[in-house]
Amino acid sequence: MQQHELDQRFMQLALEEASRATAVGEVPIAAILVRSNDVLAAAHNLREALQDPTAHAEMIVIRKAAEQLSSWRLTDTTLYVTLEPCPMCAGAIVQSRIVRLVFGAWDPKAGACGSLFDIPADRRLNHRVDVVGGVLEQESQSLLQNFFRLKRGRTASNDEHHV
Amino acid sequence: MQQHELDQRFMQLALEEASRATAVGEVPIAAILVRSNDVLAAAHNLREALQDPTAHAEMIVIRKAAEQLSSWRLTDTTLYVTLEPCPMCAGAIVQSRIVRLVFGAWDPKAGACGSLFDIPADRRLNHRVDVVGGVLEQESQSLLQNFFRLKRGRTASNDEHHV
């Protein structure tokens, strides 16, 4: 299977994980960490459930995988996320030495992997990450749009976006 | 007591917490979260002990305080850190709605609060943080320099800096 097809396959898995977030009232964003085509960890956003401002999908997956590998260096791994990571998550991706980042929708409001900042590519930091954005972009965006449309309908107010 | 004196007092507490990191082989960086002059949480860097790439002092303090307050919104709080936060931690500070950030030494290699990036001041993000840098700067820098000098002496190699 070609890299492009593999990326779509893992992003599809991430989208399925993200759908599960909607069911529990969390913003539908999910992440999957992969090494040698094996899924090491998967998670969706849990900020509301845990009342933890750092509980974005990427952070949870990074911490899970580090615990599993008993190492803070997540070498030879690829992170799949349904939305472009924010500065916190992009920073964590660099900190954990992840090799490759593949994301779905771009986030013009808070994205730090090409939109507002480009942290994974910054040559002044001590690690660089290869980034591919826009994989299954439409699917990821629709998931988010439907969630916020439904939420606005329920609360009749403009609740803020989590990222 | 004036704000300037209060800042020095809390930074002194953070420096004492950072010294405890050295004793357990961690890079001596610590953080303290304060609300109405009460310390809500304190922590030093624990990356090596926990083998968790996200276990910087700031992240631990933010997660502890959120758990304690049962809220991801750390409103009306000031974060004291002995070193300028990296992109991950600066992003987490914005995510958690911390009002004020006071840090010790500047970090020209990875600092994201004025050095390489200025994430807390970025008007495109949905929250801004007031930042004061350079409080007890020399003391914080000396703590780090002594740690790395000692470490280099022991390992005779150039181990990488944690931030």
Side-chain angles (χ1 to χ4, degrees):
Chain A
M1 203 182 273
Q2 298 228 313
Q3 192 57 58
H4 175 70
E5 291 171 286
L6 275 171
D7 285 350
Q8 293 212 335
R9 194 174 126 196
F10 286 118
M11 190 58 78
Q12 191 54 52
L13 279 181
L15 284 165
E16 286 162 23
E17 181 72 24
S19 319
R20 285 191 274 273
T22 306
V24 293
E26 298 278 354
V27 179
I29 302 168
I32 283 182
L33 194 73
V34 171
R35 182 188 267 175
S36 311
N37 296 335
D38 284 333
V39 174
L40 290 180
H44 61 66
N45 171 43
L46 278 172
R47 188 182 64 167
E48 300 303 328
L50 301 179
Q51 285 296 310
D52 176 353
T54 74
H56 284 189
E58 302 92 313
M59 302 298 284
I60 301 170
V61 149
I62 286 172
R63 300 183 71 220
K64 269 191 190 177
E67 196 180 342
Q68 203 178 306
L69 300 170
S70 304
S71 171
W72 63 260
R73 291 180 187 84
L74 306 180
T75 39
D76 304 323
T77 58
T78 297
L79 184 72
Y80 292 88
V81 204
T82 57
L83 184 70
E84 183 186 1
C86 74
M88 171 179 72
C89 294
I93 290 164
V94 171
Q95 288 290 344
S96 54
R97 312 292 191 262
I98 286 169
V99 175
R100 212 169 151 252
L101 164 68
V102 181
F103 66 83
W106 292 85
D107 184 0
K109 284 189 187 169
C113 304
S115 290
L116 301 190
F117 305 95
D118 198 353
I119 291 171
D122 200 293
R123 301 199 66 82
R124 299 168 302 175
L125 298 173
N126 63 356
H127 175 72
R128 249 84 47 207
V129 184
D130 289 331
V131 178
V132 180
V135 174
L136 303 187
E137 184 173 7
Q138 284 308 314
E139 291 84 339
S140 174
Q141 217 159 39
S142 302
L143 208 57
L144 285 165
Q145 281 166 348
N146 291 341
F147 175 82
F148 286 111
R149 198 172 296 134
L150 211 70
K151 206 179 166 191
R152 272 197 301 273
R154 265 207 308 269
T155 64
S157 77
N158 268 315
D159 283 18
E160 81 193 306
H161 191 307
H162 115 289
V163 279
Chain B
M1 203 182 272
Q2 297 228 312
Q3 192 58 59
H4 175 70
E5 289 171 288
L6 275 171
D7 285 350
Q8 293 212 337
R9 195 174 125 195
F10 286 118
M11 190 58 78
Q12 190 54 52
L13 279 181
L15 284 166
E16 286 162 23
E17 180 74 23
S19 320
R20 286 192 272 275
T22 305
V24 294
E26 298 278 354
V27 180
I29 302 167
I32 283 183
L33 194 73
V34 172
R35 181 189 268 176
S36 311
N37 296 334
D38 284 333
V39 174
L40 290 179
H44 61 65
N45 170 43
L46 278 170
R47 188 180 66 169
E48 300 302 328
L50 301 180
Q51 286 296 310
D52 175 354
T54 75
H56 284 191
E58 303 93 313
M59 302 298 284
I60 301 170
V61 150
I62 286 171
R63 300 183 71 220
K64 269 191 190 177
E67 196 180 344
Q68 204 178 305
L69 301 170
S70 303
S71 171
W72 63 259
R73 289 178 187 85
L74 306 180
T75 39
D76 304 323
T77 57
T78 297
L79 185 72
Y80 292 87
V81 204
T82 57
L83 184 71
E84 183 186 359
C86 73
M88 171 180 72
C89 295
I93 290 164
V94 171
Q95 289 290 343
S96 54
R97 313 290 192 263
I98 286 169
V99 174
R100 212 169 150 253
L101 164 68
V102 181
F103 67 82
W106 292 86
D107 184 0
K109 285 190 186 167
C113 305
S115 290
L116 300 191
F117 305 95
D118 197 353
I119 291 172
D122 200 293
R123 302 199 64 83
R124 299 168 301 176
L125 298 174
N126 63 357
H127 175 71
R128 249 84 47 207
V129 184
D130 288 331
V131 177
V132 180
V135 174
L136 302 188
E137 183 173 7
Q138 284 308 314
E139 290 85 339
S140 174
Q141 217 159 40
S142 301
L143 207 58
L144 284 165
Q145 282 167 349
N146 291 341
F147 175 82
F148 285 110
R149 198 171 297 132
L150 210 71
K151 204 177 167 192
R152 272 196 301 274
R154 266 207 308 269
T155 64
S157 77
N158 269 316
D159 281 19
E160 78 194 308
H161 191 306
H162 115 291
V163 279

